[in-house]
Amino acid sequence: EVQLVESGGGLVQPGRSMKLSCAASGFTFNNYDMAWVCQAPKKGLEWVATITYDGRSTYYRDSVKGRFTISRDNAKSTLYLQMDSLRSEDTATYYCARLPEGHFDYWGQGVMVTVSS
Amino acid sequence: DIRMTQSPASLSASLGETVNIECLASEDIYSDLAWYQQKPGKSPQLLIYNANSLQNGVPSRFSGSGSGTQCSLKINSLQSEDVATYFCQQYNNYPLTFGSGTKLEIK
């Protein structure tokens, strides 16, 4: 059974950093591109970042470029999102998702990130 | 960026009815479209990919159609467990973009 379990969320002050993790199991992690998707409270879904199966290529939405870094450790079957210079508008639930051919076929349960002083 | 315009924003229908949700892309996305269902307090779940392919385990009352700039999701024989918000998503080009969602309720 495919499982994606996020961790690392919480309350953080504006301008500070936070790192999210996503532990994957039930599939061959290094065969799949992976992504982070966020959802602000009571809002829609927004793609944040993608990393290819081998970690060689990454893609980001404009609003997080230069502030967020997606990475992966295939030996540990774990996906990461390093979030720096956080802003109040980054407040959202962040989902880790598996990304075969551009659509998200499995999602984690999500982790809440609140950016507030 | 490809803009995805989803309609209606909300929908109320009776049990057993058929409902349709539309998604209009600002440019040609071929068949690179997926539909997701998100129940209250839960993560999204994939229903349809490649515009009309049913994800494993999804009931056959869900179907997708269309290509190019217009796609739709049809739900036949509406059930109480279909109460959710539905989102479309294009993956023809980065940035990956979603529609704004359709909230489905039972009358």
PDB file of all heavy atoms in Angstrom, chain A residues 30-61:
ATOM      1  N   ASN A  30      12.408   5.700  -5.906  1.00  0.00           N
ATOM      2  CA  ASN A  30      13.298   6.308  -6.897  1.00  0.00           C
ATOM      3  C   ASN A  30      12.845   6.092  -8.335  1.00  0.00           C
ATOM      4  O   ASN A  30      13.563   6.426  -9.271  1.00  0.00           O
ATOM      5  CB  ASN A  30      14.745   5.876  -6.685  1.00  0.00           C
ATOM      6  CG  ASN A  30      14.928   4.381  -6.756  1.00  0.00           C
ATOM      7  OD1 ASN A  30      14.045   3.667  -7.217  1.00  0.00           O
ATOM      8  ND2 ASN A  30      16.075   3.893  -6.311  1.00  0.00           N
ATOM      9  N   ASN A  31      11.653   5.555  -8.524  1.00  0.00           N
ATOM     10  CA  ASN A  31      11.077   5.439  -9.864  1.00  0.00           C
ATOM     11  C   ASN A  31      10.133   6.593 -10.209  1.00  0.00           C
ATOM     12  O   ASN A  31       9.667   6.688 -11.340  1.00  0.00           O
ATOM     13  CB  ASN A  31      10.283   4.136 -10.003  1.00  0.00           C
ATOM     14  CG  ASN A  31      11.188   2.933 -10.247  1.00  0.00           C
ATOM     15  OD1 ASN A  31      12.393   3.071 -10.385  1.00  0.00           O
ATOM     16  ND2 ASN A  31      10.588   1.764 -10.285  1.00  0.00           N
ATOM     17  N   TYR A  32       9.833   7.444  -9.217  1.00  0.00           N
ATOM     18  CA  TYR A  32       8.779   8.445  -9.404  1.00  0.00           C
ATOM     19  C   TYR A  32       9.246   9.869  -9.144  1.00  0.00           C
ATOM     20  O   TYR A  32       9.968  10.139  -8.170  1.00  0.00           O
ATOM     21  CB  TYR A  32       7.604   8.164  -8.466  1.00  0.00           C
ATOM     22  CG  TYR A  32       6.807   6.948  -8.850  1.00  0.00           C
ATOM     23  CD1 TYR A  32       7.181   5.691  -8.390  1.00  0.00           C
ATOM     24  CD2 TYR A  32       5.701   7.052  -9.684  1.00  0.00           C
ATOM     25  CE1 TYR A  32       6.455   4.563  -8.745  1.00  0.00           C
ATOM     26  CE2 TYR A  32       4.969   5.941 -10.049  1.00  0.00           C
ATOM     27  CZ  TYR A  32       5.352   4.693  -9.577  1.00  0.00           C
ATOM     28  OH  TYR A  32       4.634   3.584  -9.933  1.00  0.00           O
ATOM     29  N   ASP A  33       8.765  10.792 -10.006  1.00  0.00           N
ATOM     30  CA  ASP A  33       8.836  12.206  -9.669  1.00  0.00           C
ATOM     31  C   ASP A  33       7.920  12.437  -8.474  1.00  0.00           C
ATOM     32  O   ASP A  33       6.912  11.732  -8.294  1.00  0.00           O
ATOM     33  CB  ASP A  33       8.360  13.064 -10.844  1.00  0.00           C
ATOM     34  CG  ASP A  33       9.247  12.948 -12.076  1.00  0.00           C
ATOM     35  OD1 ASP A  33      10.309  12.290 -11.997  1.00  0.00           O
ATOM     36  OD2 ASP A  33       8.871  13.523 -13.113  1.00  0.00           O
ATOM     37  N   MET A  34       8.258  13.454  -7.678  1.00  0.00           N
ATOM     38  CA  MET A  34       7.464  13.786  -6.494  1.00  0.00           C
ATOM     39  C   MET A  34       7.226  15.287  -6.448  1.00  0.00           C
ATOM     40  O   MET A  34       7.940  16.075  -7.084  1.00  0.00           O
ATOM     41  CB  MET A  34       8.202  13.346  -5.220  1.00  0.00           C
ATOM     42  CG  MET A  34       8.433  11.852  -5.091  1.00  0.00           C
ATOM     43  SD  MET A  34       6.928  10.880  -4.892  1.00  0.00           S
ATOM     44  CE  MET A  34       6.345  11.452  -3.302  1.00  0.00           C
ATOM     45  N   ALA A  35       6.228  15.683  -5.675  1.00  0.00           N
ATOM     46  CA  ALA A  35       5.864  17.098  -5.652  1.00  0.00           C
ATOM     47  C   ALA A  35       5.293  17.508  -4.305  1.00  0.00           C
ATOM     48  O   ALA A  35       4.909  16.659  -3.485  1.00  0.00           O
ATOM     49  CB  ALA A  35       4.845  17.388  -6.746  1.00  0.00           C
ATOM     50  N   TRP A  36       5.264  18.812  -4.085  1.00  0.00           N
ATOM     51  CA  TRP A  36       4.543  19.421  -2.963  1.00  0.00           C
ATOM     52  C   TRP A  36       3.421  20.286  -3.535  1.00  0.00           C
ATOM     53  O   TRP A  36       3.625  21.025  -4.504  1.00  0.00           O
ATOM     54  CB  TRP A  36       5.473  20.270  -2.113  1.00  0.00           C
ATOM     55  CG  TRP A  36       6.488  19.484  -1.344  1.00  0.00           C
ATOM     56  CD1 TRP A  36       7.769  19.204  -1.724  1.00  0.00           C
ATOM     57  CD2 TRP A  36       6.313  18.868  -0.067  1.00  0.00           C
ATOM     58  NE1 TRP A  36       8.400  18.457  -0.753  1.00  0.00           N
ATOM     59  CE2 TRP A  36       7.527  18.233   0.281  1.00  0.00           C
ATOM     60  CE3 TRP A  36       5.252  18.803   0.852  1.00  0.00           C
ATOM     61  CZ2 TRP A  36       7.710  17.541   1.482  1.00  0.00           C
ATOM     62  CZ3 TRP A  36       5.431  18.110   2.040  1.00  0.00           C
ATOM     63  CH2 TRP A  36       6.647  17.483   2.346  1.00  0.00           C
ATOM     64  N   VAL A  37       2.257  20.174  -2.904  1.00  0.00           N
ATOM     65  CA  VAL A  37       1.087  20.965  -3.259  1.00  0.00           C
ATOM     66  C   VAL A  37       0.575  21.604  -1.976  1.00  0.00           C
ATOM     67  O   VAL A  37       0.574  20.950  -0.931  1.00  0.00           O
ATOM     68  CB  VAL A  37      -0.014  20.087  -3.889  1.00  0.00           C
ATOM     69  CG1 VAL A  37      -1.255  20.917  -4.203  1.00  0.00           C
ATOM     70  CG2 VAL A  37       0.503  19.404  -5.150  1.00  0.00           C
ATOM     71  N   CYS A  38       0.156  22.866  -2.049  1.00  0.00           N
ATOM     72  CA  CYS A  38      -0.345  23.498  -0.826  1.00  0.00           C
ATOM     73  C   CYS A  38      -1.790  23.947  -1.001  1.00  0.00           C
ATOM     74  O   CYS A  38      -2.312  24.051  -2.126  1.00  0.00           O
ATOM     75  CB  CYS A  38       0.542  24.670  -0.405  1.00  0.00           C
ATOM     76  SG  CYS A  38       0.427  26.135  -1.435  1.00  0.00           S
ATOM     77  N   GLN A  39      -2.417  24.183   0.139  1.00  0.00           N
ATOM     78  CA  GLN A  39      -3.816  24.628   0.171  1.00  0.00           C
ATOM     79  C   GLN A  39      -3.981  25.570   1.344  1.00  0.00           C
ATOM     80  O   GLN A  39      -3.949  25.140   2.497  1.00  0.00           O
ATOM     81  CB  GLN A  39      -4.755  23.427   0.290  1.00  0.00           C
ATOM     82  CG  GLN A  39      -6.219  23.780   0.192  1.00  0.00           C
ATOM     83  CD  GLN A  39      -7.097  22.544   0.076  1.00  0.00           C
ATOM     84  OE1 GLN A  39      -6.818  21.497   0.653  1.00  0.00           O
ATOM     85  NE2 GLN A  39      -8.170  22.639  -0.701  1.00  0.00           N
ATOM     86  N   ALA A  40      -4.139  26.862   1.044  1.00  0.00           N
ATOM     87  CA  ALA A  40      -4.396  27.839   2.100  1.00  0.00           C
ATOM     88  C   ALA A  40      -5.753  27.559   2.715  1.00  0.00           C
ATOM     89  O   ALA A  40      -6.624  26.956   2.070  1.00  0.00           O
ATOM     90  CB  ALA A  40      -4.323  29.247   1.521  1.00  0.00           C
ATOM     91  N   PRO A  41      -5.980  27.982   3.970  1.00  0.00           N
ATOM     92  CA  PRO A  41      -7.246  27.698   4.648  1.00  0.00           C
ATOM     93  C   PRO A  41      -8.454  28.119   3.814  1.00  0.00           C
ATOM     94  O   PRO A  41      -8.528  29.254   3.345  1.00  0.00           O
ATOM     95  CB  PRO A  41      -7.136  28.511   5.937  1.00  0.00           C
ATOM     96  CG  PRO A  41      -5.670  28.588   6.193  1.00  0.00           C
ATOM     97  CD  PRO A  41      -5.026  28.687   4.848  1.00  0.00           C
ATOM     98  N   LYS A  42      -9.361  27.192   3.606  1.00  0.00           N
ATOM     99  CA  LYS A  42     -10.600  27.402   2.865  1.00  0.00           C
ATOM    100  C   LYS A  42     -10.369  27.806   1.407  1.00  0.00           C
ATOM    101  O   LYS A  42     -11.256  28.390   0.775  1.00  0.00           O
ATOM    102  CB  LYS A  42     -11.446  28.510   3.536  1.00  0.00           C
ATOM    103  CG  LYS A  42     -11.725  28.276   5.008  1.00  0.00           C
ATOM    104  CD  LYS A  42     -12.698  27.161   5.221  1.00  0.00           C
ATOM    105  CE  LYS A  42     -13.095  27.073   6.698  1.00  0.00           C
ATOM    106  NZ  LYS A  42     -13.909  25.879   6.962  1.00  0.00           N
ATOM    107  N   LYS A  43      -9.203  27.513   0.869  1.00  0.00           N
ATOM    108  CA  LYS A  43      -8.883  27.901  -0.496  1.00  0.00           C
ATOM    109  C   LYS A  43      -8.642  26.670  -1.375  1.00  0.00           C
ATOM    110  O   LYS A  43      -8.800  25.527  -0.933  1.00  0.00           O
ATOM    111  CB  LYS A  43      -7.621  28.793  -0.507  1.00  0.00           C
ATOM    112  CG  LYS A  43      -7.785  30.093   0.250  1.00  0.00           C
ATOM    113  CD  LYS A  43      -8.740  31.040  -0.417  1.00  0.00           C
ATOM    114  CE  LYS A  43      -8.763  32.380   0.273  1.00  0.00           C
ATOM    115  NZ  LYS A  43      -9.765  33.291  -0.346  1.00  0.00           N
ATOM    116  N   GLY A  44      -8.246  26.926  -2.615  1.00  0.00           N
ATOM    117  CA  GLY A  44      -7.991  25.847  -3.560  1.00  0.00           C
ATOM    118  C   GLY A  44      -6.578  25.304  -3.462  1.00  0.00           C
ATOM    119  O   GLY A  44      -5.800  25.665  -2.577  1.00  0.00           O
ATOM    120  N   LEU A  45      -6.274  24.426  -4.400  1.00  0.00           N
ATOM    121  CA  LEU A  45      -4.982  23.746  -4.424  1.00  0.00           C
ATOM    122  C   LEU A  45      -3.989  24.518  -5.283  1.00  0.00           C
ATOM    123  O   LEU A  45      -4.350  25.044  -6.340  1.00  0.00           O
ATOM    124  CB  LEU A  45      -5.162  22.341  -4.998  1.00  0.00           C
ATOM    125  CG  LEU A  45      -6.108  21.425  -4.208  1.00  0.00           C
ATOM    126  CD1 LEU A  45      -6.480  20.204  -5.031  1.00  0.00           C
ATOM    127  CD2 LEU A  45      -5.456  21.011  -2.898  1.00  0.00           C
ATOM    128  N   GLU A  46      -2.735  24.559  -4.830  1.00  0.00           N
ATOM    129  CA  GLU A  46      -1.666  25.218  -5.605  1.00  0.00           C
ATOM    130  C   GLU A  46      -0.453  24.312  -5.636  1.00  0.00           C
ATOM    131  O   GLU A  46       0.041  23.894  -4.572  1.00  0.00           O
ATOM    132  CB  GLU A  46      -1.276  26.548  -4.959  1.00  0.00           C
ATOM    133  CG  GLU A  46      -2.201  27.691  -5.221  1.00  0.00           C
ATOM    134  CD  GLU A  46      -1.605  29.035  -4.825  1.00  0.00           C
ATOM    135  OE1 GLU A  46      -0.637  29.066  -4.033  1.00  0.00           O
ATOM    136  OE2 GLU A  46      -2.110  30.060  -5.301  1.00  0.00           O
ATOM    137  N   TRP A  47       0.011  24.014  -6.819  1.00  0.00           N
ATOM    138  CA  TRP A  47       1.270  23.285  -6.956  1.00  0.00           C
ATOM    139  C   TRP A  47       2.415  24.177  -6.467  1.00  0.00           C
ATOM    140  O   TRP A  47       2.434  25.372  -6.732  1.00  0.00           O
ATOM    141  CB  TRP A  47       1.479  22.902  -8.416  1.00  0.00           C
ATOM    142  CG  TRP A  47       2.866  22.473  -8.730  1.00  0.00           C
ATOM    143  CD1 TRP A  47       3.430  21.258  -8.444  1.00  0.00           C
ATOM    144  CD2 TRP A  47       3.867  23.253  -9.369  1.00  0.00           C
ATOM    145  NE1 TRP A  47       4.744  21.236  -8.874  1.00  0.00           N
ATOM    146  CE2 TRP A  47       5.026  22.453  -9.445  1.00  0.00           C
ATOM    147  CE3 TRP A  47       3.910  24.542  -9.882  1.00  0.00           C
ATOM    148  CZ2 TRP A  47       6.202  22.903 -10.017  1.00  0.00           C
ATOM    149  CZ3 TRP A  47       5.084  25.004 -10.459  1.00  0.00           C
ATOM    150  CH2 TRP A  47       6.220  24.184 -10.524  1.00  0.00           C
ATOM    151  N   VAL A  48       3.356  23.577  -5.727  1.00  0.00           N
ATOM    152  CA  VAL A  48       4.481  24.334  -5.162  1.00  0.00           C
ATOM    153  C   VAL A  48       5.786  24.009  -5.878  1.00  0.00           C
ATOM    154  O   VAL A  48       6.502  24.900  -6.340  1.00  0.00           O
ATOM    155  CB  VAL A  48       4.638  24.039  -3.661  1.00  0.00           C
ATOM    156  CG1 VAL A  48       5.874  24.736  -3.096  1.00  0.00           C
ATOM    157  CG2 VAL A  48       3.391  24.461  -2.894  1.00  0.00           C
ATOM    158  N   ALA A  49       6.118  22.704  -5.948  1.00  0.00           N
ATOM    159  CA  ALA A  49       7.411  22.312  -6.502  1.00  0.00           C
ATOM    160  C   ALA A  49       7.388  20.846  -6.899  1.00  0.00           C
ATOM    161  O   ALA A  49       6.606  20.057  -6.353  1.00  0.00           O
ATOM    162  CB  ALA A  49       8.537  22.549  -5.491  1.00  0.00           C
ATOM    163  N   THR A  50       8.241  20.511  -7.854  1.00  0.00           N
ATOM    164  CA  THR A  50       8.405  19.135  -8.343  1.00  0.00           C
ATOM    165  C   THR A  50       9.878  18.794  -8.379  1.00  0.00           C
ATOM    166  O   THR A  50      10.713  19.657  -8.681  1.00  0.00           O
ATOM    167  CB  THR A  50       7.827  19.002  -9.766  1.00  0.00           C
ATOM    168  OG1 THR A  50       6.416  19.139  -9.739  1.00  0.00           O
ATOM    169  CG2 THR A  50       8.183  17.657 -10.401  1.00  0.00           C
ATOM    170  N   ILE A  51      10.191  17.541  -8.097  1.00  0.00           N
ATOM    171  CA  ILE A  51      11.553  17.031  -8.280  1.00  0.00           C
ATOM    172  C   ILE A  51      11.478  15.734  -9.061  1.00  0.00           C
ATOM    173  O   ILE A  51      10.591  14.905  -8.810  1.00  0.00           O
ATOM    174  CB  ILE A  51      12.267  16.844  -6.917  1.00  0.00           C
ATOM    175  CG1 ILE A  51      13.736  16.460  -7.126  1.00  0.00           C
ATOM    176  CG2 ILE A  51      11.544  15.831  -6.030  1.00  0.00           C
ATOM    177  CD1 ILE A  51      14.584  16.580  -5.856  1.00  0.00           C
ATOM    178  N   THR A  52      12.351  15.577 -10.033  1.00  0.00           N
ATOM    179  CA  THR A  52      12.337  14.356 -10.833  1.00  0.00           C
ATOM    180  C   THR A  52      12.819  13.170 -10.014  1.00  0.00           C
ATOM    181  O   THR A  52      13.418  13.323  -8.941  1.00  0.00           O
ATOM    182  CB  THR A  52      13.202  14.522 -12.090  1.00  0.00           C
ATOM    183  OG1 THR A  52      14.510  14.952 -11.710  1.00  0.00           O
ATOM    184  CG2 THR A  52      12.579  15.538 -13.044  1.00  0.00           C
ATOM    185  N   TYR A  53      12.577  11.974 -10.545  1.00  0.00           N
ATOM    186  CA  TYR A  53      12.841  10.728  -9.822  1.00  0.00           C
ATOM    187  C   TYR A  53      14.286  10.614  -9.340  1.00  0.00           C
ATOM    188  O   TYR A  53      14.552  10.039  -8.283  1.00  0.00           O
ATOM    189  CB  TYR A  53      12.496   9.535 -10.726  1.00  0.00           C
ATOM    190  CG  TYR A  53      13.406   9.395 -11.916  1.00  0.00           C
ATOM    191  CD1 TYR A  53      14.467   8.509 -11.907  1.00  0.00           C
ATOM    192  CD2 TYR A  53      13.213  10.182 -13.046  1.00  0.00           C
ATOM    193  CE1 TYR A  53      15.311   8.398 -12.998  1.00  0.00           C
ATOM    194  CE2 TYR A  53      14.063  10.083 -14.141  1.00  0.00           C
ATOM    195  CZ  TYR A  53      15.108   9.201 -14.111  1.00  0.00           C
ATOM    196  OH  TYR A  53      15.959   9.101 -15.185  1.00  0.00           O
ATOM    197  N   ASP A  54      15.202  11.183 -10.137  1.00  0.00           N
ATOM    198  CA  ASP A  54      16.626  11.067  -9.819  1.00  0.00           C
ATOM    199  C   ASP A  54      17.171  12.313  -9.116  1.00  0.00           C
ATOM    200  O   ASP A  54      18.365  12.377  -8.818  1.00  0.00           O
ATOM    201  CB  ASP A  54      17.425  10.797 -11.093  1.00  0.00           C
ATOM    202  CG  ASP A  54      17.223  11.859 -12.155  1.00  0.00           C
ATOM    203  OD1 ASP A  54      16.489  12.831 -11.878  1.00  0.00           O
ATOM    204  OD2 ASP A  54      17.769  11.723 -13.254  1.00  0.00           O
ATOM    205  N   GLY A  55      16.315  13.269  -8.860  1.00  0.00           N
ATOM    206  CA  GLY A  55      16.737  14.484  -8.170  1.00  0.00           C
ATOM    207  C   GLY A  55      17.489  15.473  -9.023  1.00  0.00           C
ATOM    208  O   GLY A  55      17.917  16.523  -8.522  1.00  0.00           O
ATOM    209  N   ARG A  56      17.626  15.203 -10.289  1.00  0.00           N
ATOM    210  CA  ARG A  56      18.463  16.062 -11.136  1.00  0.00           C
ATOM    211  C   ARG A  56      17.759  17.341 -11.562  1.00  0.00           C
ATOM    212  O   ARG A  56      18.413  18.336 -11.878  1.00  0.00           O
ATOM    213  CB  ARG A  56      18.921  15.288 -12.367  1.00  0.00           C
ATOM    214  CG  ARG A  56      19.914  14.192 -12.046  1.00  0.00           C
ATOM    215  CD  ARG A  56      20.490  13.574 -13.299  1.00  0.00           C
ATOM    216  NE  ARG A  56      21.508  12.575 -12.978  1.00  0.00           N
ATOM    217  CZ  ARG A  56      22.263  11.958 -13.881  1.00  0.00           C
ATOM    218  NH1 ARG A  56      22.128  12.253 -15.168  1.00  0.00           N
ATOM    219  NH2 ARG A  56      23.147  11.061 -13.507  1.00  0.00           N
ATOM    220  N   SER A  57      16.435  17.309 -11.634  1.00  0.00           N
ATOM    221  CA  SER A  57      15.710  18.498 -12.077  1.00  0.00           C
ATOM    222  C   SER A  57      14.646  18.875 -11.068  1.00  0.00           C
ATOM    223  O   SER A  57      14.013  17.995 -10.474  1.00  0.00           O
ATOM    224  CB  SER A  57      15.046  18.253 -13.433  1.00  0.00           C
ATOM    225  OG  SER A  57      16.008  18.053 -14.434  1.00  0.00           O
ATOM    226  N   THR A  58      14.484  20.183 -10.896  1.00  0.00           N
ATOM    227  CA  THR A  58      13.458  20.697  -9.996  1.00  0.00           C
ATOM    228  C   THR A  58      12.703  21.829 -10.682  1.00  0.00           C
ATOM    229  O   THR A  58      13.238  22.501 -11.572  1.00  0.00           O
ATOM    230  CB  THR A  58      14.070  21.221  -8.683  1.00  0.00           C
ATOM    231  OG1 THR A  58      15.057  22.217  -8.998  1.00  0.00           O
ATOM    232  CG2 THR A  58      14.727  20.108  -7.881  1.00  0.00           C
ATOM    233  N   TYR A  59      11.468  22.016 -10.262  1.00  0.00           N
ATOM    234  CA  TYR A  59      10.611  23.056 -10.816  1.00  0.00           C
ATOM    235  C   TYR A  59       9.865  23.693  -9.653  1.00  0.00           C
ATOM    236  O   TYR A  59       9.450  23.002  -8.723  1.00  0.00           O
ATOM    237  CB  TYR A  59       9.589  22.456 -11.808  1.00  0.00           C
ATOM    238  CG  TYR A  59      10.211  21.619 -12.891  1.00  0.00           C
ATOM    239  CD1 TYR A  59      10.475  20.268 -12.675  1.00  0.00           C
ATOM    240  CD2 TYR A  59      10.547  22.171 -14.122  1.00  0.00           C
ATOM    241  CE1 TYR A  59      11.051  19.488 -13.665  1.00  0.00           C
ATOM    242  CE2 TYR A  59      11.123  21.395 -15.114  1.00  0.00           C
ATOM    243  CZ  TYR A  59      11.379  20.062 -14.873  1.00  0.00           C
ATOM    244  OH  TYR A  59      11.962  19.285 -15.846  1.00  0.00           O
ATOM    245  N   TYR A  60       9.646  25.023  -9.752  1.00  0.00           N
ATOM    246  CA  TYR A  60       9.000  25.760  -8.669  1.00  0.00           C
ATOM    247  C   TYR A  60       7.980  26.742  -9.232  1.00  0.00           C
ATOM    248  O   TYR A  60       8.165  27.289 -10.313  1.00  0.00           O
ATOM    249  CB  TYR A  60      10.028  26.568  -7.873  1.00  0.00           C
ATOM    250  CG  TYR A  60      11.099  25.732  -7.201  1.00  0.00           C
ATOM    251  CD1 TYR A  60      12.310  25.470  -7.846  1.00  0.00           C
ATOM    252  CD2 TYR A  60      10.890  25.219  -5.929  1.00  0.00           C
ATOM    253  CE1 TYR A  60      13.292  24.704  -7.228  1.00  0.00           C
ATOM    254  CE2 TYR A  60      11.872  24.453  -5.304  1.00  0.00           C
ATOM    255  CZ  TYR A  60      13.066  24.196  -5.962  1.00  0.00           C
ATOM    256  OH  TYR A  60      14.036  23.446  -5.356  1.00  0.00           O
ATOM    257  N   ARG A  61       6.927  27.006  -8.407  1.00  0.00           N
ATOM    258  CA  ARG A  61       6.051  28.105  -8.776  1.00  0.00           C
ATOM    259  C   ARG A  61       6.800  29.404  -8.509  1.00  0.00           C
ATOM    260  O   ARG A  61       7.698  29.460  -7.665  1.00  0.00           O
ATOM    261  CB  ARG A  61       4.732  28.049  -8.011  1.00  0.00           C
ATOM    262  CG  ARG A  61       4.819  28.279  -6.533  1.00  0.00           C
ATOM    263  CD  ARG A  61       3.418  28.202  -5.876  1.00  0.00           C
ATOM    264  NE  ARG A  61       2.517  29.226  -6.369  1.00  0.00           N
ATOM    265  CZ  ARG A  61       1.476  28.967  -7.172  1.00  0.00           C
ATOM    266  NH1 ARG A  61       1.211  27.732  -7.547  1.00  0.00           N
ATOM    267  NH2 ARG A  61       0.704  29.949  -7.579  1.00  0.00           N
TER     268      ARG A  61
END
